[in-house]
Amino acid sequence: MPVYATWDDHEIVNNWEGDSVDETLFANAQQSMFEVLALEEDKNRRLWRRYRWGKTVEFFILDCRTERVPSKGHYISQEQMDWLLNGLADSPRPFKVIAHSVPITNMPDIWDLSD
């Protein structure tokens, strides 16, 4: 069973954002992510990547934590957005799946199960 994973808000500290965490802590967490998931590292150590399953589906795994700056309304960098849009346009697969760890909309109160 394949596993495709990305950062969520508990891998380093709760509700962290890319620029709100100690650099050493971040580097150690990032190294652990690459080692535990056996991810191939690119020169920029990006976690966003894509996977193809035959001729049917392509998975786009986003990193919405490292580059996240909610105060500016940014959940991914322009570079990651361009990569995603180009990948979606260029993919010959009929099905595309985008996976991410940060909600992209405000859910209605009915979905708040914390009470």
Side-chain angles (χ1 to χ4, degrees):
M1 177 62 69
V3 173
Y4 299 137
T6 189
W7 296 113
D8 196 12
D9 66 337
H10 305 286
E11 275 69 21
I12 298 179
V13 294
N14 194 27
N15 294 323
W16 71 280
E17 298 165 10
D19 61 354
S20 68
V21 69
D22 176 83
E23 288 183 32
T24 302
L25 181 63
F26 176 79
N28 290 337
Q30 188 180 45
Q31 184 63 34
S32 295
M33 184 91 163
F34 280 105
E35 290 176 7
V36 170
L37 295 176
L39 294 174
E40 183 178 335
E41 295 182 46
D42 68 6
K43 66 181 179 181
N44 296 313
R45 300 180 59 90
R46 294 185 184 117
L47 292 175
W48 31 284
R49 50 198 68 240
R50 60 200 267 191
Y51 301 94
R52 291 180 171 174
W53 282 14
K55 296 180 180 181
T56 306
V57 65
E58 188 156 0
F59 291 84
F60 295 85
I61 313 300
L62 303 183
D63 176 4
C64 298
R65 287 289 171 183
T66 306
E67 302 170 344
R68 183 175 180 223
V69 185
S71 62
K72 295 181 179 178
H74 297 184
Y75 285 88
I76 60 176
S77 66
Q78 189 61 51
E79 182 182 9
Q80 188 176 176
M81 179 62 82
D82 292 344
W83 167 85
L84 174 62
L85 294 176
N86 290 332
L88 291 170
D90 294 341
S91 175
R93 277 51 181 180
F95 298 100
K96 287 104 174 155
V97 177
I98 300 172
H100 54 88
S101 63
V102 177
I104 58 174
T105 187
N106 291 326
M107 299 300 287
D109 289 338
I110 193 168
W111 292 103
D112 185 2
L113 303 176
S114 61
D115 293 334

